[in-house]
Amino acid sequence: MRDRWAATNVALLVASIVLFALLAETVGFIPLAIAILLAVQLRLGIAPVRAAVTAVLGAIGFHLLFVMVLRVPLPPGLLEGWL
């Protein structure tokens, strides 16, 4: 990988997967999904406000899809009493 942009994107992807695997139970799906989606979008040059709104709506949308439609339990983490 001679292209620094591509190498950084791969590193971001690997770091996101590792952090999710390590922190999913304690932090929870929604906060981690927001952080990962926000980081990826900012890396791709999306405007910060638009990236934040999309990250929040995307994380909630993914959570609803997995929990209600696919019936896959996701770790609530910090939001345990709220979900």
Side-chain angles (χ1 to χ4, degrees), residues 36-75:
I36 291 170
L37 288 171
L38 184 62
V40 169
Q41 290 182 80
L42 291 175
R43 175 70 184 149
L44 293 174
I46 307 295
V49 173
R50 187 174 187 180
V53 170
T54 305
V56 170
L57 294 177
I60 292 170
F62 283 130
H63 183 268
L64 291 174
L65 174 71
F66 275 85
V67 171
M68 297 179 135
V69 177
L70 299 174
R71 304 229 185 254
V72 176
L74 296 173

Side-chain angles (χ1 to χ4, degrees), residues 5 8 19-20 23 28 33 50 58 68 75-77:
W5 179 264
T8 305
L19 286 175
F20 186 84
L23 300 175
R50 187 174 187 180
M68 297 179 135

